[in-house]
Amino acid sequence: MSVPATAPPRAAAPKRPTPQRRSTSSRSRWRNRGWVLFFLLPSAVPLVVFTLAPMVNSLWVSLHDWNLVSPMKWVGLDNYADLLTSGDTWRVLGNTLFYILGYLPLVYVGGLGLAMLLNRALKGRTFFRAAYFLPVITSWVVVALVWQWLLNPSNGLVNQLVQPVLDGLNGLFGTDMTAPGWWTDPQWAMPSVILASAWKDLGFVMVILLAGLQAIPGDVLEAARVDGAGAWKRFWHITFPLLSPSTFFVLVISLINGFQVFDQVYVMTGGGPSGASQVVVGQIYDLTFRYGRAGDASALSWILFVLILIVTALQMRGQRRWVNHA
């Protein structure tokens, strides 16, 4: 005799939220959002007043001809067209790129060397870490004035040390080499700014890379050492790849700061001699306050903004190929 199969019990249908529950849940969400906005308000108000509003206003000014005194005159995109076809714009862009190409390798290699040196168990390393970081928190005006004195062609300390060496070489090889003119020479003005900038920012790069070095597991390096890997192989195949997130951060920040370089140029060279060290932000300053062309200055600032945005976006996209987040 067959036993009839019993049907499995049907699962109870989920209860639909009643209108009262939906209303309570909606009120709770809006209450939470209200608290979030309340706590964001102290930082949102300065952001809107001192950042977003000036940005929108500068975009509006960039579409006008304005000398900061007379009423603004609508010119549309003429300011952008004039700037993009001006030789002065491309000259200051070239100077800015030259600064970045000289500054970035110097500050990264120097910061990496300091980080690896101070990552070892050296006596007094805490003092040296603080000493190398001290220029980072020093005013740019002070640093620029110090380097302007150090690189003074007449009585600067650097040339007083370099010239005797050159005199000795001149006596040996019959040459006539002289110490550089540094910030008074069009060929050496930008290298002078690069040296001062790299010296000031070495401590910042050192701290970032030092944190990255200390995050690398010691057992990985020890295993490589046991397997017979030398110091260079351990650095190139283990340390450097695992340091890529810190390297990426340094590159992004340094590139953004490089495009916005101004203080050291303004104090050390004033953009001279003969415009040899003039950069984009310096040109924006001169257009506004020296030549009374606020519309052109605002347009140039937006061109710089778009350029930085594109470069940063390319970096963010390219990091997938070489940054190791493991």
Side-chain angles (χ1 to χ4, degrees), residues 159-220:
N159 277 6
Q160 289 182 9
L161 296 175
V162 170
Q163 190 58 53
V165 177
L166 294 178
D167 290 340
L169 294 176
N170 291 335
L172 289 175
F173 301 103
T175 56
D176 188 22
M177 294 183 292
T178 58
W182 298 115
W183 49 269
T184 63
D185 187 340
Q187 295 183 348
W188 287 94
M190 188 57 77
S192 304
V193 176
I194 291 172
L195 283 175
S197 303
W199 179 83
K200 186 179 189 302
D201 295 338
L202 273 179
F204 172 77
V205 176
M206 176 199 71
V207 168
I208 300 299
L209 296 181
L210 183 60
L213 288 173
Q214 293 179 345
I216 297 176
D219 53 353
V220 176

Side-chain angles (χ1 to χ4, degrees), residues 248-273:
F248 173 70
F249 176 80
V250 167
L251 291 178
V252 170
I253 297 299
S254 299
L255 272 174
I256 293 175
N257 291 336
F259 277 111
Q260 296 177 326
V261 59
F262 173 69
D263 296 354
Q264 52 271 52
V265 174
Y266 182 77
V267 177
M268 290 183 66
T269 67

Side-chain angles (χ1 to χ4, degrees), residues 98-120:
F98 178 73
Y99 168 84
I100 292 173
L101 292 176
Y103 162 80
L104 196 57
L106 193 60
V107 75
Y108 179 78
V109 173
L112 179 60
L114 287 176
M116 295 190 66
L117 180 64
L118 297 179
N119 192 40
R120 303 185 176 207

Side-chain angles (χ1 to χ4, degrees), residues 288-324:
T288 305
F289 300 106
R290 182 174 295 181
Y291 305 118
R293 296 164 54 188
D296 289 332
S298 297
L300 184 56
S301 67
W302 274 93
I303 292 174
L304 178 62
F305 170 76
V306 172
L307 180 60
I308 294 175
L309 186 66
I310 292 173
V311 172
T312 305
L314 291 175
Q315 286 181 290
M316 297 297 293
R317 186 175 182 84
Q319 68 159 325
R320 304 170 187 173
R321 300 185 177 182
W322 64 277
V323 178
N324 182 8

Side-chain angles (χ1 to χ4, degrees), residues 22-146:
R22 285 199 299 267
S23 176
T24 303
S25 177
S26 177
R27 285 198 301 268
S28 177
R29 284 198 301 270
W30 280 107
R31 188 182 300 111
N32 291 337
R33 291 172 183 172
W35 280 111
V36 170
L37 292 175
F38 174 77
F39 285 112
L40 287 177
L41 196 60
S43 59
V45 170
L47 176 66
V48 172
V49 173
F50 298 108
T51 302
L52 296 181
M55 287 181 65
V56 174
N57 184 65
S58 70
L59 181 61
W60 176 251
V61 172
S62 71
L63 304 175
H64 294 78
D65 181 11
W66 187 37
N67 62 1
L68 299 177
V69 179
S70 303
M72 290 190 294
K73 178 183 177 182
W74 174 267
V75 294
L77 298 177
D78 289 351
N79 290 333
Y80 292 91
D82 293 342
L83 288 170
L84 292 176
T85 55
S86 171
D88 290 339
T89 302
W90 293 105
R91 176 175 56 83
V92 298
L93 279 172
N95 290 341
T96 305
L97 291 176
F98 178 73
Y99 168 84
I100 292 173
L101 292 176
Y103 162 80
L104 196 57
L106 193 60
V107 75
Y108 179 78
V109 173
L112 179 60
L114 287 176
M116 295 190 66
L117 180 64
L118 297 179
N119 192 40
R120 303 185 176 207
L122 299 176
K123 186 177 181 179
R125 64 176 180 177
T126 303
F127 167 78
F128 287 109
R129 289 176 182 176
Y132 281 114
F133 190 77
L134 186 60
V136 179
I137 59 176
T138 305
S139 168
W140 246 124
V141 175
V142 175
V143 172
L145 289 175
V146 169

